[in-house]
Amino acid sequence: ESLADPDSPRYGQWMTADEVAAHTAPQPGVVACVRQWLAAGAASGVTLLEVHRNNATFVLEGSVAALEAWLHTELHVFERSLLASPRRGGRVVRRAAAHAVPRAVHAHIAHIAGLSDIPPVRVARPQPTQQQEQQ
């Protein structure tokens, strides 16, 4: 607030990364609620990989089966056409149904990223032959 107040000595100064994190962090009770839900996910095979500085972003990992069970959804593998997307051909895992989270957690989650474009299954691409490289 003082950064935007022309009468403040801090007017126009930048906030540090720690100040931004503290300013935007969720309340401790919210973090505890979400962490409890994440702990239940760990029992289902979902792993917490990283918690960002302000406790507002969590990075998770799990098998398709674990994520489907934990989020009550279905994930499917789709083939991307090289003709439609030359640089992004191959397989991609996508959510095919709505996901669900417990009511107590729902109010505290703004977005679950990655369910619409889980990292693609890597497909080996043929390497150009020496003859192709010379053309």
Side-chain angles (χ1 to χ4, degrees), residues 22-66:
H23 186 71
T24 60
Q27 296 295 316
V30 170
V31 174
C33 177
V34 173
R35 282 185 175 271
Q36 183 177 12
W37 176 62
L38 294 173
S44 302
V46 176
T47 304
L48 176 61
L49 298 178
E50 180 182 352
V51 178
H52 287 209
R53 182 189 309 208
N54 69 352
N55 281 319
T57 301
F58 300 86
V59 179
L60 309 169
E61 175 181 79
S63 69
V64 168

mmCIF file of all heavy atoms in Angstrom, residues 22-66:
data_model
loop_
_atom_site.group_PDB
_atom_site.id
_atom_site.type_symbol
_atom_site.label_atom_id
_atom_site.label_comp_id
_atom_site.label_asym_id
_atom_site.label_seq_id
_atom_site.Cartn_x
_atom_site.Cartn_y
_atom_site.Cartn_z
ATOM 1 N N ALA A 22 5.079 -12.753 0.668
ATOM 2 C CA ALA A 22 4.330 -12.562 1.914
ATOM 3 C C ALA A 22 2.993 -11.871 1.652
ATOM 4 O O ALA A 22 1.976 -12.206 2.270
ATOM 5 C CB ALA A 22 5.160 -11.750 2.903
ATOM 6 N N HIS A 23 2.989 -10.934 0.718
ATOM 7 C CA HIS A 23 1.774 -10.169 0.407
ATOM 8 C C HIS A 23 0.717 -11.033 -0.293
ATOM 9 O O HIS A 23 -0.479 -10.819 -0.123
ATOM 10 C CB HIS A 23 2.147 -8.959 -0.460
ATOM 11 C CG HIS A 23 1.019 -8.034 -0.729
ATOM 12 N ND1 HIS A 23 0.473 -7.214 0.234
ATOM 13 C CD2 HIS A 23 0.321 -7.787 -1.860
ATOM 14 C CE1 HIS A 23 -0.506 -6.516 -0.290
ATOM 15 N NE2 HIS A 23 -0.619 -6.840 -1.561
ATOM 16 N N THR A 24 1.138 -11.979 -1.104
ATOM 17 C CA THR A 24 0.206 -12.784 -1.891
ATOM 18 C C THR A 24 -0.043 -14.176 -1.323
ATOM 19 O O THR A 24 -0.837 -14.930 -1.874
ATOM 20 C CB THR A 24 0.720 -12.937 -3.339
ATOM 21 O OG1 THR A 24 2.005 -13.590 -3.313
ATOM 22 C CG2 THR A 24 0.844 -11.590 -4.032
ATOM 23 N N ALA A 25 0.618 -14.527 -0.237
ATOM 24 C CA ALA A 25 0.483 -15.870 0.335
ATOM 25 C C ALA A 25 -0.917 -16.088 0.903
ATOM 26 O O ALA A 25 -1.511 -15.181 1.476
ATOM 27 C CB ALA A 25 1.519 -16.080 1.436
ATOM 28 N N PRO A 26 -1.437 -17.308 0.754
ATOM 29 C CA PRO A 26 -2.719 -17.620 1.379
ATOM 30 C C PRO A 26 -2.583 -17.672 2.907
ATOM 31 O O PRO A 26 -1.474 -17.806 3.439
ATOM 32 C CB PRO A 26 -3.076 -18.990 0.812
ATOM 33 C CG PRO A 26 -1.806 -19.549 0.287
ATOM 34 C CD PRO A 26 -0.887 -18.413 -0.003
ATOM 35 N N GLN A 27 -3.693 -17.586 3.591
ATOM 36 C CA GLN A 27 -3.709 -17.673 5.051
ATOM 37 C C GLN A 27 -3.204 -19.050 5.499
ATOM 38 O O GLN A 27 -3.412 -20.054 4.801
ATOM 39 C CB GLN A 27 -5.122 -17.447 5.580
ATOM 40 C CG GLN A 27 -5.665 -16.053 5.302
ATOM 41 C CD GLN A 27 -4.872 -14.992 6.046
ATOM 42 O OE1 GLN A 27 -4.543 -15.135 7.218
ATOM 43 N NE2 GLN A 27 -4.545 -13.914 5.336
ATOM 44 N N PRO A 28 -2.564 -19.144 6.673
ATOM 45 C CA PRO A 28 -2.032 -20.423 7.151
ATOM 46 C C PRO A 28 -3.085 -21.542 7.219
ATOM 47 O O PRO A 28 -2.793 -22.694 6.918
ATOM 48 C CB PRO A 28 -1.488 -20.094 8.542
ATOM 49 C CG PRO A 28 -1.152 -18.637 8.471
ATOM 50 C CD PRO A 28 -2.188 -18.036 7.558
ATOM 51 N N GLY A 29 -4.316 -21.209 7.573
ATOM 52 C CA GLY A 29 -5.376 -22.223 7.626
ATOM 53 C C GLY A 29 -5.699 -22.803 6.256
ATOM 54 O O GLY A 29 -5.992 -23.988 6.125
ATOM 55 N N VAL A 30 -5.623 -21.960 5.232
ATOM 56 C CA VAL A 30 -5.854 -22.408 3.859
ATOM 57 C C VAL A 30 -4.734 -23.356 3.438
ATOM 58 O O VAL A 30 -4.984 -24.423 2.868
ATOM 59 C CB VAL A 30 -5.947 -21.201 2.890
ATOM 60 C CG1 VAL A 30 -5.942 -21.656 1.446
ATOM 61 C CG2 VAL A 30 -7.174 -20.368 3.202
ATOM 62 N N VAL A 31 -3.499 -22.970 3.729
ATOM 63 C CA VAL A 31 -2.349 -23.814 3.383
ATOM 64 C C VAL A 31 -2.467 -25.166 4.090
ATOM 65 O O VAL A 31 -2.246 -26.213 3.486
ATOM 66 C CB VAL A 31 -1.019 -23.108 3.740
ATOM 67 C CG1 VAL A 31 0.160 -24.035 3.517
ATOM 68 C CG2 VAL A 31 -0.864 -21.829 2.920
ATOM 69 N N ALA A 32 -2.853 -25.157 5.368
ATOM 70 C CA ALA A 32 -2.996 -26.402 6.123
ATOM 71 C C ALA A 32 -4.068 -27.296 5.505
ATOM 72 O O ALA A 32 -3.882 -28.512 5.388
ATOM 73 C CB ALA A 32 -3.321 -26.098 7.584
ATOM 74 N N CYS A 33 -5.181 -26.710 5.086
ATOM 75 C CA CYS A 33 -6.273 -27.467 4.467
ATOM 76 C C CYS A 33 -5.802 -28.123 3.166
ATOM 77 O O CYS A 33 -6.041 -29.312 2.933
ATOM 78 C CB CYS A 33 -7.450 -26.536 4.211
ATOM 79 S SG CYS A 33 -8.851 -27.304 3.383
ATOM 80 N N VAL A 34 -5.127 -27.354 2.329
ATOM 81 C CA VAL A 34 -4.656 -27.886 1.048
ATOM 82 C C VAL A 34 -3.576 -28.942 1.274
ATOM 83 O O VAL A 34 -3.573 -29.994 0.632
ATOM 84 C CB VAL A 34 -4.151 -26.749 0.123
ATOM 85 C CG1 VAL A 34 -3.497 -27.303 -1.130
ATOM 86 C CG2 VAL A 34 -5.313 -25.825 -0.246
ATOM 87 N N ARG A 35 -2.676 -28.697 2.214
ATOM 88 C CA ARG A 35 -1.624 -29.685 2.504
ATOM 89 C C ARG A 35 -2.215 -31.000 3.027
ATOM 90 O O ARG A 35 -1.710 -32.069 2.732
ATOM 91 C CB ARG A 35 -0.601 -29.125 3.485
ATOM 92 C CG ARG A 35 0.393 -28.185 2.830
ATOM 93 C CD ARG A 35 1.456 -27.767 3.849
ATOM 94 N NE ARG A 35 2.486 -26.971 3.249
ATOM 95 C CZ ARG A 35 3.587 -27.458 2.695
ATOM 96 N NH1 ARG A 35 3.796 -28.746 2.663
ATOM 97 N NH2 ARG A 35 4.486 -26.658 2.172
ATOM 98 N N GLN A 36 -3.281 -30.921 3.790
ATOM 99 C CA GLN A 36 -3.944 -32.139 4.282
ATOM 100 C C GLN A 36 -4.505 -32.932 3.100
ATOM 101 O O GLN A 36 -4.388 -34.148 3.039
ATOM 102 C CB GLN A 36 -5.047 -31.769 5.268
ATOM 103 C CG GLN A 36 -5.730 -32.972 5.887
ATOM 104 C CD GLN A 36 -6.778 -32.550 6.906
ATOM 105 O OE1 GLN A 36 -7.161 -31.376 6.999
ATOM 106 N NE2 GLN A 36 -7.249 -33.506 7.673
ATOM 107 N N TRP A 37 -5.101 -32.245 2.155
ATOM 108 C CA TRP A 37 -5.625 -32.897 0.954
ATOM 109 C C TRP A 37 -4.479 -33.493 0.134
ATOM 110 O O TRP A 37 -4.587 -34.601 -0.388
ATOM 111 C CB TRP A 37 -6.434 -31.891 0.137
ATOM 112 C CG TRP A 37 -6.953 -32.401 -1.154
ATOM 113 C CD1 TRP A 37 -7.840 -33.430 -1.340
ATOM 114 C CD2 TRP A 37 -6.630 -31.905 -2.453
ATOM 115 N NE1 TRP A 37 -8.086 -33.596 -2.687
ATOM 116 C CE2 TRP A 37 -7.357 -32.668 -3.385
ATOM 117 C CE3 TRP A 37 -5.814 -30.888 -2.909
ATOM 118 C CZ2 TRP A 37 -7.288 -32.444 -4.755
ATOM 119 C CZ3 TRP A 37 -5.746 -30.664 -4.266
ATOM 120 C CH2 TRP A 37 -6.475 -31.447 -5.173
ATOM 121 N N LEU A 38 -3.367 -32.759 0.037
ATOM 122 C CA LEU A 38 -2.205 -33.279 -0.683
ATOM 123 C C LEU A 38 -1.644 -34.518 0.004
ATOM 124 O O LEU A 38 -1.190 -35.452 -0.660
ATOM 125 C CB LEU A 38 -1.122 -32.203 -0.804
ATOM 126 C CG LEU A 38 -1.484 -30.990 -1.664
ATOM 127 C CD1 LEU A 38 -0.400 -29.930 -1.556
ATOM 128 C CD2 LEU A 38 -1.733 -31.377 -3.096
ATOM 129 N N ALA A 39 -1.678 -34.558 1.321
ATOM 130 C CA ALA A 39 -1.214 -35.741 2.054
ATOM 131 C C ALA A 39 -2.089 -36.944 1.727
ATOM 132 O O ALA A 39 -1.592 -38.063 1.586
ATOM 133 C CB ALA A 39 -1.208 -35.464 3.558
ATOM 134 N N ALA A 40 -3.383 -36.723 1.572
ATOM 135 C CA ALA A 40 -4.277 -37.812 1.158
ATOM 136 C C ALA A 40 -3.925 -38.270 -0.248
ATOM 137 O O ALA A 40 -4.000 -39.462 -0.555
ATOM 138 C CB ALA A 40 -5.737 -37.352 1.223
ATOM 139 N N GLY A 41 -3.519 -37.352 -1.087
ATOM 140 C CA GLY A 41 -3.088 -37.707 -2.437
ATOM 141 C C GLY A 41 -1.844 -38.569 -2.405
ATOM 142 O O GLY A 41 -1.687 -39.495 -3.203
ATOM 143 N N ALA A 42 -0.938 -38.285 -1.477
ATOM 144 C CA ALA A 42 0.285 -39.083 -1.350
ATOM 145 C C ALA A 42 -0.067 -40.535 -1.037
ATOM 146 O O ALA A 42 0.579 -41.459 -1.537
ATOM 147 C CB ALA A 42 1.192 -38.499 -0.272
ATOM 148 N N ALA A 43 -1.111 -40.735 -0.250
ATOM 149 C CA ALA A 43 -1.547 -42.102 0.057
ATOM 150 C C ALA A 43 -2.099 -42.793 -1.185
ATOM 151 O O ALA A 43 -2.110 -44.019 -1.266
ATOM 152 C CB ALA A 43 -2.604 -42.076 1.165
ATOM 153 N N SER A 44 -2.527 -41.997 -2.169
ATOM 154 C CA SER A 44 -3.060 -42.552 -3.417
ATOM 155 C C SER A 44 -2.002 -42.677 -4.501
ATOM 156 O O SER A 44 -2.302 -43.080 -5.612
ATOM 157 C CB SER A 44 -4.185 -41.653 -3.940
ATOM 158 O OG SER A 44 -5.209 -41.526 -2.999
ATOM 159 N N GLY A 45 -0.768 -42.265 -4.204
ATOM 160 C CA GLY A 45 0.294 -42.357 -5.194
ATOM 161 C C GLY A 45 0.638 -41.060 -5.886
ATOM 162 O O GLY A 45 1.369 -41.040 -6.866
ATOM 163 N N VAL A 46 0.119 -39.943 -5.389
ATOM 164 C CA VAL A 46 0.433 -38.630 -5.941
ATOM 165 C C VAL A 46 1.534 -38.024 -5.069
ATOM 166 O O VAL A 46 1.424 -37.989 -3.852
ATOM 167 C CB VAL A 46 -0.812 -37.713 -5.968
ATOM 168 C CG1 VAL A 46 -0.461 -36.323 -6.463
ATOM 169 C CG2 VAL A 46 -1.900 -38.338 -6.826
ATOM 170 N N THR A 47 2.596 -37.549 -5.695
ATOM 171 C CA THR A 47 3.765 -37.050 -4.974
ATOM 172 C C THR A 47 3.856 -35.538 -5.064
ATOM 173 O O THR A 47 3.735 -34.970 -6.150
ATOM 174 C CB THR A 47 5.054 -37.670 -5.567
ATOM 175 O OG1 THR A 47 4.939 -39.083 -5.534
ATOM 176 C CG2 THR A 47 6.284 -37.233 -4.797
ATOM 177 N N LEU A 48 4.076 -34.887 -3.936
ATOM 178 C CA LEU A 48 4.317 -33.448 -3.897
ATOM 179 C C LEU A 48 5.785 -33.227 -4.218
ATOM 180 O O LEU A 48 6.665 -33.665 -3.489
ATOM 181 C CB LEU A 48 3.975 -32.888 -2.514
ATOM 182 C CG LEU A 48 4.263 -31.414 -2.271
ATOM 183 C CD1 LEU A 48 3.467 -30.533 -3.231
ATOM 184 C CD2 LEU A 48 3.948 -31.054 -0.833
ATOM 185 N N LEU A 49 6.068 -32.570 -5.350
ATOM 186 C CA LEU A 49 7.445 -32.339 -5.787
ATOM 187 C C LEU A 49 8.013 -31.010 -5.308
ATOM 188 O O LEU A 49 9.195 -30.896 -5.027
ATOM 189 C CB LEU A 49 7.531 -32.370 -7.317
ATOM 190 C CG LEU A 49 7.161 -33.671 -8.003
ATOM 191 C CD1 LEU A 49 7.247 -33.503 -9.508
ATOM 192 C CD2 LEU A 49 8.050 -34.805 -7.530
ATOM 193 N N GLU A 50 7.163 -29.989 -5.254
ATOM 194 C CA GLU A 50 7.667 -28.650 -4.967
ATOM 195 C C GLU A 50 6.549 -27.774 -4.420
ATOM 196 O O GLU A 50 5.400 -27.900 -4.821
ATOM 197 C CB GLU A 50 8.206 -28.039 -6.269
ATOM 198 C CG GLU A 50 8.772 -26.660 -6.158
ATOM 199 C CD GLU A 50 9.230 -26.118 -7.512
ATOM 200 O OE1 GLU A 50 9.251 -26.859 -8.508
ATOM 201 O OE2 GLU A 50 9.571 -24.925 -7.550
ATOM 202 N N VAL A 51 6.904 -26.899 -3.498
ATOM 203 C CA VAL A 51 5.996 -25.870 -2.998
ATOM 204 C C VAL A 51 6.667 -24.536 -3.290
ATOM 205 O O VAL A 51 7.800 -24.305 -2.888
ATOM 206 C CB VAL A 51 5.747 -26.016 -1.482
ATOM 207 C CG1 VAL A 51 4.829 -24.910 -0.990
ATOM 208 C CG2 VAL A 51 5.172 -27.392 -1.157
ATOM 209 N N HIS A 52 5.978 -23.672 -4.010
ATOM 210 C CA HIS A 52 6.560 -22.379 -4.351
ATOM 211 C C HIS A 52 6.649 -21.492 -3.114
ATOM 212 O O HIS A 52 5.981 -21.726 -2.115
ATOM 213 C CB HIS A 52 5.749 -21.703 -5.448
ATOM 214 C CG HIS A 52 5.957 -22.354 -6.777
ATOM 215 N ND1 HIS A 52 5.857 -21.678 -7.954
ATOM 216 C CD2 HIS A 52 6.267 -23.629 -7.132
ATOM 217 C CE1 HIS A 52 6.097 -22.505 -8.973
ATOM 218 N NE2 HIS A 52 6.336 -23.693 -8.488
ATOM 219 N N ARG A 53 7.448 -20.479 -3.216
ATOM 220 C CA ARG A 53 7.810 -19.611 -2.090
ATOM 221 C C ARG A 53 6.617 -19.085 -1.300
ATOM 222 O O ARG A 53 6.668 -18.999 -0.090
ATOM 223 C CB ARG A 53 8.631 -18.445 -2.623
ATOM 224 C CG ARG A 53 9.101 -17.488 -1.546
ATOM 225 C CD ARG A 53 9.721 -16.255 -2.109
ATOM 226 N NE ARG A 53 10.739 -16.597 -3.077
ATOM 227 C CZ ARG A 53 11.774 -15.857 -3.356
ATOM 228 N NH1 ARG A 53 11.939 -14.727 -2.743
ATOM 229 N NH2 ARG A 53 12.639 -16.223 -4.270
ATOM 230 N N ASN A 54 5.543 -18.737 -1.961
ATOM 231 C CA ASN A 54 4.422 -18.132 -1.238
ATOM 232 C C ASN A 54 3.338 -19.137 -0.832
ATOM 233 O O ASN A 54 2.261 -18.739 -0.419
ATOM 234 C CB ASN A 54 3.809 -16.993 -2.047
ATOM 235 C CG ASN A 54 3.092 -17.478 -3.281
ATOM 236 O OD1 ASN A 54 3.160 -18.650 -3.649
ATOM 237 N ND2 ASN A 54 2.396 -16.586 -3.942
ATOM 238 N N ASN A 55 3.620 -20.420 -0.940
ATOM 239 C CA ASN A 55 2.658 -21.474 -0.574
ATOM 240 C C ASN A 55 1.369 -21.400 -1.383
ATOM 241 O O ASN A 55 0.342 -21.908 -0.954
ATOM 242 C CB ASN A 55 2.307 -21.432 0.919
ATOM 243 C CG ASN A 55 3.369 -22.050 1.771
ATOM 244 O OD1 ASN A 55 3.935 -23.085 1.427
ATOM 245 N ND2 ASN A 55 3.664 -21.433 2.895
ATOM 246 N N ALA A 56 1.402 -20.774 -2.549
ATOM 247 C CA ALA A 56 0.208 -20.664 -3.375
ATOM 248 C C ALA A 56 0.245 -21.619 -4.558
ATOM 249 O O ALA A 56 -0.769 -21.839 -5.203
ATOM 250 C CB ALA A 56 0.027 -19.242 -3.875
ATOM 251 N N THR A 57 1.399 -22.204 -4.853
ATOM 252 C CA THR A 57 1.535 -23.117 -5.980
ATOM 253 C C THR A 57 2.250 -24.382 -5.518
ATOM 254 O O THR A 57 3.295 -24.307 -4.887
ATOM 255 C CB THR A 57 2.345 -22.463 -7.121
ATOM 256 O OG1 THR A 57 1.678 -21.264 -7.526
ATOM 257 C CG2 THR A 57 2.469 -23.397 -8.317
ATOM 258 N N PHE A 58 1.647 -25.519 -5.859
ATOM 259 C CA PHE A 58 2.194 -26.817 -5.516
ATOM 260 C C PHE A 58 2.408 -27.596 -6.806
ATOM 261 O O PHE A 58 1.540 -27.586 -7.671
ATOM 262 C CB PHE A 58 1.221 -27.598 -4.618
ATOM 263 C CG PHE A 58 0.919 -26.894 -3.320
ATOM 264 C CD1 PHE A 58 -0.091 -25.955 -3.233
ATOM 265 C CD2 PHE A 58 1.650 -27.177 -2.181
ATOM 266 C CE1 PHE A 58 -0.379 -25.309 -2.048
ATOM 267 C CE2 PHE A 58 1.380 -26.542 -0.980
ATOM 268 C CZ PHE A 58 0.356 -25.604 -0.910
ATOM 269 N N VAL A 59 3.532 -28.270 -6.939
ATOM 270 C CA VAL A 59 3.832 -29.072 -8.122
ATOM 271 C C VAL A 59 3.731 -30.536 -7.711
ATOM 272 O O VAL A 59 4.380 -30.968 -6.761
ATOM 273 C CB VAL A 59 5.241 -28.754 -8.681
ATOM 274 C CG1 VAL A 59 5.537 -29.620 -9.901
ATOM 275 C CG2 VAL A 59 5.353 -27.275 -9.025
ATOM 276 N N LEU A 60 2.899 -31.281 -8.441
ATOM 277 C CA LEU A 60 2.609 -32.675 -8.108
ATOM 278 C C LEU A 60 2.979 -33.598 -9.256
ATOM 279 O O LEU A 60 3.078 -33.172 -10.400
ATOM 280 C CB LEU A 60 1.115 -32.842 -7.815
ATOM 281 C CG LEU A 60 0.514 -31.867 -6.820
ATOM 282 C CD1 LEU A 60 -0.995 -31.978 -6.836
ATOM 283 C CD2 LEU A 60 1.060 -32.129 -5.442
ATOM 284 N N GLU A 61 3.086 -34.873 -8.929
ATOM 285 C CA GLU A 61 3.369 -35.885 -9.942
ATOM 286 C C GLU A 61 2.666 -37.169 -9.519
ATOM 287 O O GLU A 61 2.577 -37.484 -8.333
ATOM 288 C CB GLU A 61 4.877 -36.113 -10.006
ATOM 289 C CG GLU A 61 5.303 -37.227 -10.926
ATOM 290 C CD GLU A 61 6.814 -37.392 -10.898
ATOM 291 O OE1 GLU A 61 7.320 -37.998 -9.938
ATOM 292 O OE2 GLU A 61 7.462 -36.903 -11.839
ATOM 293 N N GLY A 62 2.174 -37.905 -10.500
ATOM 294 C CA GLY A 62 1.546 -39.191 -10.213
ATOM 295 C C GLY A 62 1.251 -39.930 -11.495
ATOM 296 O O GLY A 62 1.248 -39.338 -12.572
ATOM 297 N N SER A 63 1.005 -41.195 -11.358
ATOM 298 C CA SER A 63 0.635 -41.989 -12.525
ATOM 299 C C SER A 63 -0.763 -41.580 -12.977
ATOM 300 O O SER A 63 -1.520 -40.941 -12.227
ATOM 301 C CB SER A 63 0.643 -43.482 -12.176
ATOM 302 O OG SER A 63 -0.427 -43.772 -11.285
ATOM 303 N N VAL A 64 -1.113 -41.950 -14.187
ATOM 304 C CA VAL A 64 -2.453 -41.656 -14.699
ATOM 305 C C VAL A 64 -3.496 -42.268 -13.769
ATOM 306 O O VAL A 64 -4.462 -41.617 -13.381
ATOM 307 C CB VAL A 64 -2.615 -42.166 -16.149
ATOM 308 C CG1 VAL A 64 -4.071 -42.136 -16.580
ATOM 309 C CG2 VAL A 64 -1.761 -41.334 -17.100
ATOM 310 N N ALA A 65 -3.298 -43.504 -13.357
ATOM 311 C CA ALA A 65 -4.267 -44.172 -12.483
ATOM 312 C C ALA A 65 -4.401 -43.444 -11.147
ATOM 313 O O ALA A 65 -5.516 -43.261 -10.637
ATOM 314 C CB ALA A 65 -3.853 -45.625 -12.266
ATOM 315 N N ALA A 66 -3.280 -43.011 -10.572
ATOM 316 C CA ALA A 66 -3.324 -42.309 -9.285
ATOM 317 C C ALA A 66 -4.045 -40.972 -9.414
ATOM 318 O O ALA A 66 -4.880 -40.623 -8.568
ATOM 319 C CB ALA A 66 -1.911 -42.106 -8.751
#
